[in-house]
């Protein structure tokens, strides 16, 4: 549980004209949207900007595409300012997994070497690490980090596995399945001291941290703008600030190939880059309407409240403590344990997500770690306490019934 245990719900955020924040999005009002962290949600102002740009592209493609690299470079300036990094250190890629794939395709070859990951890693990124290890003729070493590990314990667990064979360390900044921070600054500093490259997967971080790369001395960092930053989907940053950045090339070879990093990423042929160009509209909307500091505070306070009421409802239902001791909890992402045997595997968690959406009208995230199923709560500015109260009142009893039915061999 969070150290902040609110007994009352935070007041909803409003637009300047007094309407609820949700009025600035096109989300289906018939659905309770409790899973912003998976795919984000794009405010109307950014949707409108992207549609305007697409109309320009389709009206005059011969004019649009030769001028596109300059437009992407201009968007990079604003995105770099938002992340607090130098423009020349940042390339734009479709998503964090694509950024990781760029690193895997270009990182110095280490024949027979190991790629070090943790058991909290995002599946697609870990799969890429496994493919890299096969190309090296090496292996992937997976470090177990207890869910309740504090920064020191988590750091020690990873550092203990660094060795002569380690050719790359892959760390989550915020873990997807377990909704916790990792002490990436401390681990990266030790890896740097040993000359081991580090890739940090910060998929969830943009929008949740005011200065996400401050004090972080890693070789590569990737983060999605389309999650908590609310940019159009298909917008992510690849940041490279060490000498290895000069080895990075886009996954698509195009006419920008002779250019230096990151300019060569700005030219990608006829790829629709309007998501990149409209990203500043989304980032600016939140800043101009509430300010990102206010938005983050609201997300944290709402997550405190949501975690408490849903964990309480589940605990009362099961007679067990459904709170989760997460060692380094995230402001807008929280875990609550759900009744066994629900979501014991990744596939079962996805199936439960789909069933809850179809039968209960709630978009929610369910995850699995160590054979235990969890509800991963996400909050954003358009959410209100009523969204989570609804889940506690209407969905928790149904989860209990599904759990009992599955436990006794009933139909899922």
């Amino acid at each position: 549980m969070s150290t902040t245990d609110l007994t009352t719900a935070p007041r909803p955020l409003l637009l300047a004209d007094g309407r609820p924040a949700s009025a600035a999005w096109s989300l289906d009002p018939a659905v309770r949207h409790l899973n912003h962290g998976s795919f984000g949600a794009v405010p109307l102002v950014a949707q409108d900007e992207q549609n305007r740009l697409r109309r320009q592209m389709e009206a005059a493609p011969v004019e649009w595409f030769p001028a596109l690299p300059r437009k992407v470079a201009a968007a990079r300036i604003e995105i770099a300012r938002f992340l607090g990094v130098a423009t020349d250190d940042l390339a734009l890629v479709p998503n964090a997994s694509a950024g990781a794939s760029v690193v895997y395709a270009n990182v110095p070859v280490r024949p027979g070497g190991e790629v070090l990951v943790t058991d909290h890693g995002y599946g697609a990124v870990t799969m890429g690490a496994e493919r890299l290890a096969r190309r090296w003729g090496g292996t992937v070493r997976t470090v177990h980090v207890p869910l309740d590990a504090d920064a020191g314990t988590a750091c020690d667990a990873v550092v203990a596995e660094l060795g002569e064979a380690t050719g790359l360390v892959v760390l989550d900044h915020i873990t997807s399945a377990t909704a916790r921070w990792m002490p990436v600054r401390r681990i990266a500093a030790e890896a740097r001291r040993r000359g081991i490259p580090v890739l940090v997967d910060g998929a969830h971080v943009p929008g949740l941290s005011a200065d996400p790369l401050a004090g972080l001395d890693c070789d590569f960092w990737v983060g999605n703008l389309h999650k908590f930053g609310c940019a159009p989907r298909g917008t992510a940053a690849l940041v490279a600030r060490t000498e290895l950045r000069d080895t990075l090339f886009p996954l698509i070879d195009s006419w920008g190939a002779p250019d230096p990093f990151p300019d060569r990423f700005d030219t990608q042929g006829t790829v629709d880059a309007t998501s990149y160009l409209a990203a500043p509209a989304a980032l600016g909307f939140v800043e101009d309407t509430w300010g990102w500091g206010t938005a983050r505070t609201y997300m944290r306070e709402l997550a405190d409240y949501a975690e408490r009421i849903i964990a309480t409802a589940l605990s009362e239902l099961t007679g067990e403590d459904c709170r989760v001791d997460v060692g380094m909890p995230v402001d807008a992402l929280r875990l609550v344990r759900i009744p066994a045997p629900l979501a014991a595997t990744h596939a079962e968690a996805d199936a439960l997500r789909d069933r809850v959406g179809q039968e209960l009208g709630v978009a929610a995230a369910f995850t699995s770690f160590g054979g235990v199923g969890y509800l991963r709560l996400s909050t954003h500015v358009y959410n209100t306490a009523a969204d989570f109260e609804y889940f506690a009142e209407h969905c928790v009893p149904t989860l209990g019934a599904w759990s009992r039915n599955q436990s006794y061999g009933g139909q899922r």
Side-chain angles (χ1 to χ4, degrees), residues 71-358:
K71 298 177 187 290
V72 173
R76 279 199 292 111
I77 293 173
E78 296 189 55
I79 291 169
R81 184 180 302 118
F82 176 75
L83 292 176
V85 302
T87 304
D88 290 344
D89 293 343
L90 183 147
L92 294 176
V93 291
N95 53 45
S97 296
S101 296
V102 166
V103 174
Y104 294 151
N106 295 281
V107 72
V109 175
R110 185 71 176 271
E114 288 184 346
V115 182
L116 193 68
V117 303
T118 78
D119 55 354
H120 296 254
Y122 184 64
V125 173
T126 298
M127 290 174 193
E130 292 168 348
R131 189 160 63 93
L132 173 63
R134 288 195 296 270
R135 293 204 310 270
W136 283 357
T139 59
V140 168
R141 181 185 291 273
T142 302
V143 181
H144 172 61
V145 177
L147 183 56
D148 61 355
D150 61 15
T153 302
C155 179
D156 290 345
V158 176
V159 169
E161 299 298 328
L162 297 176
E164 293 296 325
T166 310
L168 179 67
V169 179
V170 183
L171 299 169
D172 290 83
H173 206 156
I174 291 175
T175 63
S176 177
T178 51
R180 58 161 293 151
W181 293 94
M182 283 289 186
V184 294
R185 290 169 177 81
R186 294 170 62 172
I187 297 170
E190 179 58 25
R192 184 74 169 162
R193 188 183 70 81
R194 302 184 188 204
I196 302 172
V198 175
L199 163 63
V200 174
D201 177 2
H204 290 276
V205 174
L208 292 187
S209 173
D211 196 359
L213 283 93
L216 176 55
D217 186 15
C218 64
D219 298 272
F220 316 106
W221 182 93
V222 293
N224 288 325
L225 278 298
H226 56 244
K227 287 184 181 284
F228 288 91
C230 294
R233 275 164 281 276
T235 310
L238 165 59
V239 178
R241 298 191 290 193
T242 70
E243 63 279 0
L244 290 180
R245 70 190 222 158
D246 295 329
T247 69
L248 299 181
F249 283 80
L251 297 177
I252 301 172
D253 287 322
S254 193
W255 288 100
D259 296 337
F261 178 91
D263 298 4
R264 51 181 169 249
F265 284 77
D266 296 344
T267 303
Q268 291 285 274
T270 53
V271 167
D272 182 352
T274 55
S275 61
Y276 298 169
L277 307 186
L283 303 175
F285 167 73
V286 175
E287 178 60 37
D288 295 342
T289 306
W290 302 285
W292 275 100
T294 296
R296 281 189 284 269
T297 297
Y298 177 75
M299 286 187 263
R300 183 191 71 244
E301 292 179 350
L302 183 57
D304 286 339
Y305 178 74
E307 179 186 23
R308 185 180 66 82
I309 63 168
I310 293 175
T312 297
L314 282 164
S315 297
E316 291 174 350
L317 177 78
T318 63
E320 302 175 355
D321 188 356
C322 291
R323 297 173 300 172
V324 182
D325 184 7
V326 175
M328 299 174 67
V330 179
D331 283 354
L333 288 170
R334 303 295 173 80
L335 285 189
V336 177
R337 187 163 57 86
I338 59 175
L342 296 178
T345 67
H346 176 76
E348 291 175 358
D350 284 352
L352 183 60
R353 172 203 64 200
D354 295 343
R355 187 178 184 185
V356 167
Q358 293 162 6

